[in-house]
Every structure is written in structure tokens, then in C-alpha cells.
Amino acid sequence: MPVSDPSHFLVVKVDPDIVDMVDDFLENQRREVLKLRTALATDQWQTVRRIGNGLKGIGGMYGFSWITEAGRVIEQGDPSEIPVLAQQLEGYLQEVRYEAGDWG
């Protein structure tokens, strides 16, 4: 299950009503990636899938479609692909920028 190139999603338009919550959202997602890496290192696949499910659900709520896509692949993907995707997700969360705007 391939995931799109994250570099195409580095500027995200977010709903002006929630723009003040996005920094906290992104910080929470960074913590989730750390949990994901720990779960991968200890072969806790149920935890890996749960984290993927959470990413899949929350990303779109904030307008971050790549996080949703990555979460879907983590939840349903080949376990051999997930460590690379976790690394991409970590890089994405460091690089992504957002601005208030029409995202609907």
C-alpha cells in the first residue's frame, strides 16, 4: 500500500476556527510517532495498528490529509513498510507548515 510523497503536502490550509489548536495537534502527533517507534521496536503490532487508526482518524479533522493517509497504511499495511513510514511521518511533522484558509 504505497503512500503519497509527503513533500506534496508540506503546506496545509486549516480551518480558521481551529488554527489556534494546530500547534498542540502537531505536538501530539510527534508524541504518537515516538510511541509508534517504541511499539515497532518491541513488536507490539496491536499498538502499531491502534496508533495508525488514530492517525487516520485525526489527520483529516485538522486538514492534514497526508497524516490520514499515513495512518491508513500503518493500520492496514505490510509490517515491513511501517518503519520507513514512521520515519517519513517524523520528518513530515518537522517540516509541515500551516496557514488559515479554505480547506473544505
Side-chain angles (χ1 to χ4, degrees):
M1 252 185 229
V3 65
S4 300
D5 180 353
S7 67
H8 298 291
F9 299 88
L10 288 177
V11 177
V12 176
K13 301 269 189 193
V14 296
D15 184 333
D17 292 337
I18 64 167
V19 74
D20 60 333
M21 298 171 18
V22 175
D23 284 337
D24 288 339
F25 162 75
L26 292 172
E27 187 57 38
N28 287 336
Q29 301 325 295
R30 290 181 191 103
R31 282 193 290 274
E32 287 299 296
V33 171
L34 293 175
K35 291 177 189 175
L36 176 63
R37 287 186 171 278
T38 298
L40 287 168
T42 56
D43 292 327
Q44 296 178 19
W45 293 103
Q46 185 174 358
T47 300
V48 168
R49 303 287 184 219
R50 181 188 51 75
I51 291 169
N53 180 269
L55 293 168
K56 179 180 76 173
I58 194 101
M61 290 174 56
Y62 282 82
F64 290 79
S65 60
W66 192 83
I67 293 175
T68 295
E69 186 177 346
R72 177 186 51 80
V73 173
I74 291 167
E75 181 183 35
Q76 301 172 357
D78 181 339
S80 66
E81 298 172 351
I82 296 173
V84 172
L85 187 52
Q87 185 176 3
Q88 286 180 320
L89 186 55
E90 187 172 42
Y92 173 81
L93 289 168
Q94 291 177 6
E95 299 285 328
V96 70
R97 300 294 175 256
Y98 64 90
E99 57 192 43
D102 181 21
W103 62 285

